[in-house]
Amino acid sequence: FIGWVWESCYVSAKSGKWVNRGFLHGPALPIYGSGAIVILVSTIGVRESIPLIFLFGMISSTILEFVTGYCMERMFGVRYWDYSKKPFNLMGHICLFSSIGWGIFSVLLVRIVHRPIESVVCMIPVTIADIIAVVLAIYMAADFAVSINEAMDLKATLEKFTKENEQLQMYARRMEITATFA
C-alpha cells in the first residue's frame, strides 16, 4: 500500500493529474509488497550492516523487478514500466538509478519502517490476525482475478488493433500503386 501511495503520488505530480499506478484496481502494487518481503528475507543475516542491507536489498529487488517486468510483458504484451531511455538499463526492465533507489529503500525498510510495524503486528491477537489475513487474501485474489482478466482483454485488443493497422497499411499501399498507374 505504501508503495502504491508513493508511486501514484510521484507519477501524479509529474503528470499534473491523478494517476492510479499499478496493475490492480485497489490501492496496492504487489511488486512493492513482494519486494518488501524479498528485502526482509534477503537481509536477515546482515541486518546490522547498512552497506550489506543496501547491497543485498538492491540486488534482490532488482532481480524481482526484472523478472516481474519481463514476465508481465510476455504474458500481457504490455510494459507496465520502461527504463529503456535511462542509462545502464537492461531490456528497459531495470536500470542502475532504480537499483540504487531499491538499495536506499532497503535500508529505510529494514532499519526504520519494519521494526515499529513488526511491533504493532505482533500485538494483534492471533485469531484477529488470521481473520484479517483471510479477508485481505480474498480481496487481493478477487482484485488479481479481475485485473488479469482485463489485462488479457487489453492484450487481445492491442493484437486486434495491430492486425487492423497492418491491413490498413496494406490497403494504403495498394491505393498508392493504383494511383501511380492511374
Side-chain angles (χ1 to χ4, degrees):
F1 172 75
I2 293 169
W4 175 83
V5 170
W6 176 82
E7 188 163 327
S8 292
C9 290
Y10 174 76
V11 172
S12 296
K14 282 182 72 174
S15 70
K17 62 181 172 123
W18 176 251
V19 177
N20 177 9
R21 286 290 290 175
F23 176 71
L24 302 174
H25 291 283
L29 276 166
I31 192 167
Y32 284 108
S34 301
I37 291 168
V38 164
I39 289 165
L40 292 171
V41 169
S42 70
T43 60
I44 285 174
V46 297
R47 291 203 174 153
E48 300 309 315
S49 170
I50 289 176
L52 289 178
I53 293 170
F54 178 91
L55 181 65
F56 284 35
M58 178 183 74
I59 291 170
S60 61
S61 298
T62 299
I63 291 168
L64 174 66
E65 185 175 36
F66 180 82
V67 170
T68 302
Y70 181 83
C71 290
M72 289 184 77
E73 184 175 11
R74 290 282 180 215
M75 287 172 57
F76 307 121
V78 176
R79 276 191 180 235
Y80 288 89
W81 62 87
D82 188 1
Y83 300 128
S84 58
K85 292 185 174 136
K86 304 277 185 196
F88 306 106
N89 76 80
L90 179 60
M91 298 171 57
H93 296 299
I94 56 173
C95 71
L96 180 61
F97 180 75
S98 277
S99 295
I100 291 169
W102 293 130
I104 293 167
F105 285 138
S106 297
V107 172
L108 293 173
L109 174 66
V110 172
R111 295 302 286 268
I112 297 170
V113 175
H114 182 65
R115 289 177 180 170
I117 290 174
E118 182 180 38
S119 298
V120 170
V121 169
C122 287
M123 292 188 316
I124 299 171
V126 174
T127 305
I128 293 173
D130 286 346
I131 291 168
I132 292 169
V134 168
V135 168
L136 287 175
I138 291 169
Y139 168 77
M140 291 297 291
D143 199 350
F144 263 107
V146 169
S147 298
I148 286 173
N149 187 41
E150 289 176 1
M152 295 307 281
D153 287 347
L154 175 62
K155 182 179 180 181
T157 301
L158 289 173
E159 288 171 352
K160 180 182 171 189
F161 283 146
T162 301
K163 185 177 179 181
E164 289 174 0
N165 185 33
E166 289 169 359
Q167 288 176 338
L168 287 173
Q169 288 176 356
M170 181 184 69
Y171 292 139
R173 278 189 232 111
R174 285 182 184 171
M175 289 177 67
E176 286 176 18
I177 292 169
T178 305
T180 302
F181 283 117

